[in-house]
Amino acid sequence: MSEKEAGWYPDPSGENQQRFWDGDGWTEYYQPLLPKPEAAHDSRTPTEDYPYLAQAGGTMTTPHIPPPQGWATSSNTWSAPQPTTSWGTPADPQDYAGGDYRPPDPAWDAGAGTQVYRSGTQGGGGGRGGLIAVVVASVVVLVLLVVGGVLAFRGNGGGGAGDDGPTEEGVVEVGGTSSGSLPRDGEWVGALTIADAGAYLVDARSTGGDDLQMAVRDGGGATLAYNDDRGNLFQLGGDRLDPIAPVYLEPGEYEVVLSEYRGRATDVTVDVVAITERFAVADVVQADIEADGAFLAVLELDEETELTVDVQAVGAGDPTLTVRSLDRDAMWTDDDRGSRADDEGGSTYDPLLTEDLQAGRYAVMVAEYGGDPLTVQIELSSS
């Protein structure tokens, strides 16, 4: 026995447990000896499974791969997988047969020439790690099922309600505020009549802080503009989850369609504002923006242009810039120019945007990040 290395071995008393040999004698430390899992290949077939382990005389050498959990390796021996436990120094001897065994916390233990993973999960009928793995796998499957069901329910229309959901109808007027109630798992549809061709800003909000989605459709049901969240740069006093979108409309009949992302019922308001200001390349404009307000203008480009929009606060303020196409689904934003202020002038908080834009119509929108009153100078230039 004096040649046996320190470690866990079957208890010589014959009990179904392990006992720790400290290299000189048996200690009073015990741990359960659990049944080995059934497997086609196990410790009884090491040479068949790992031929490189066999050497002359039957001596086994340490595998040249990191040991998985439950393996114990030393500098000159190979032992079969056995469940191991991180075992601290107990105040009193632990008697598993008497029912006092309590598994310790997980830990790594690096002994002299030996690295053993101490799972700290053995005891009684199985490991806690296996239970955790099952719970985690079950949660993942449940989440995937829920997400798949939500996506399947929403379809590809970008709304929270299905085609067969309940619908509430209302009327939306240019220059006014309309209100209505969005039903659960349904849509609120507001009829909008446009008398004059032009660009309009459609602003929808939930009075309950819900997550609205908005589409502007023509009489044939085609979506002309869609938005889910306005974000942080262009809130105008609304919530970042409220939708807002500029859209170019010819005279005719339209619909503003609202749904809630999670299908919740909520009260809504809709504002439609005509954008009457016009911009041209090389213009320089100074504008006073009220609290929770914005500067809105339409820019028309006859040809592809590398456009620079330079916005600078006159006095204090943190302006934000959004340029959105009125002909296609495309948008560009900028908040802070940062270090570009060293070369371009202005404050580090002033937006500066340079983009190659196709010919067409664009909405130029400037607001204050925190919704405070602001005076800005806006300059458009092309290369």
Side-chain angles (χ1 to χ4, degrees), residues 38-205:
E38 295 184 4
H41 303 280
D42 56 19
S43 60
R44 293 168 295 182
T45 58
T47 56
E48 291 82 358
D49 295 340
Y50 305 97
Y52 58 84
L53 296 175
Q55 290 186 353
T59 303
M60 302 297 181
T61 60
T62 303
H64 298 289
I65 56 175
Q69 296 183 11
W71 286 72
T73 61
S74 65
S75 59
N76 59 1
T77 63
W78 177 86
S79 59
Q82 295 289 339
T84 59
T85 303
S86 177
W87 199 268
T89 302
D92 299 307
Q94 301 296 307
D95 184 4
Y96 177 71
D100 295 330
Y101 169 75
R102 291 179 297 174
D105 295 332
W108 278 95
D109 182 5
T114 304
Q115 182 185 46
V116 182
Y117 175 66
R118 312 288 191 181
S119 68
T121 59
Q122 276 70 33
R128 186 179 305 166
L131 176 60
I132 293 175
V134 171
V135 172
V136 171
S138 300
V139 171
V140 171
V141 171
L142 179 60
V143 170
L144 291 176
L145 289 175
V146 171
V147 172
V150 170
L151 293 178
F153 177 72
R154 299 195 190 290
N156 57 8
D163 293 338
D164 297 330
T167 299
E168 292 289 337
E169 297 182 348
V171 176
V172 179
E173 298 181 353
V174 176
T177 300
S178 305
S179 60
S181 295
L182 172 64
R184 179 178 178 83
D185 294 327
E187 294 180 338
W188 184 87
V189 180
L192 171 63
T193 300
I194 297 297
D196 301 314
Y200 296 86
L201 183 69
V202 185
D203 183 345
R205 306 184 185 190

Side-chain angles (χ1 to χ4, degrees), residues 122-346:
Q122 276 70 33
R128 186 179 305 166
L131 176 60
I132 293 175
V134 171
V135 172
V136 171
S138 300
V139 171
V140 171
V141 171
L142 179 60
V143 170
L144 291 176
L145 289 175
V146 171
V147 172
V150 170
L151 293 178
F153 177 72
R154 299 195 190 290
N156 57 8
D163 293 338
D164 297 330
T167 299
E168 292 289 337
E169 297 182 348
V171 176
V172 179
E173 298 181 353
V174 176
T177 300
S178 305
S179 60
S181 295
L182 172 64
R184 179 178 178 83
D185 294 327
E187 294 180 338
W188 184 87
V189 180
L192 171 63
T193 300
I194 297 297
D196 301 314
Y200 296 86
L201 183 69
V202 185
D203 183 345
R205 306 184 185 190
S206 165
T207 60
D210 294 297
D211 188 357
L212 293 181
Q213 297 172 305
M214 178 182 71
V216 179
R217 301 174 181 167
D218 63 15
T223 299
L224 306 178
Y226 171 82
N227 187 252
D228 181 9
D229 303 330
R230 66 185 62 195
N232 295 322
L233 298 187
F234 199 69
Q235 294 194 35
L236 305 190
D239 188 272
R240 65 182 184 85
L241 297 179
D242 290 330
I244 191 169
V247 58
Y248 191 90
L249 301 175
E250 298 287 348
E253 301 298 323
Y254 300 88
E255 291 180 340
V256 177
V257 183
L258 302 179
S259 59
E260 208 280 333
Y261 183 79
R262 293 155 292 192
R264 295 178 176 176
T266 185
D267 292 330
V268 299
T269 63
V270 179
D271 288 88
V272 179
V273 179
I275 304 177
T276 58
E277 189 79 24
R278 294 292 182 269
F279 244 161
V281 176
D283 281 354
V284 179
V285 175
Q286 182 165 305
D288 295 321
I289 301 175
E290 298 179 355
D292 292 328
F295 170 83
L296 307 172
V298 176
L299 169 67
E300 295 193 28
L301 298 176
D302 296 329
E303 60 184 4
E304 183 176 348
T305 303
E306 184 182 62
L307 182 73
T308 296
V309 185
D310 186 344
V311 181
Q312 298 186 23
V314 179
D318 185 3
T320 66
L321 170 65
T322 302
V323 177
R324 183 156 186 164
S325 173
L326 296 172
D327 304 315
R328 57 194 178 95
D329 186 16
M331 181 175 68
W332 302 263
T333 62
D334 194 75
D335 181 15
D336 303 329
R337 66 185 63 195
S339 61
R340 291 176 294 171
D342 296 337
D343 299 323
E344 305 293 342

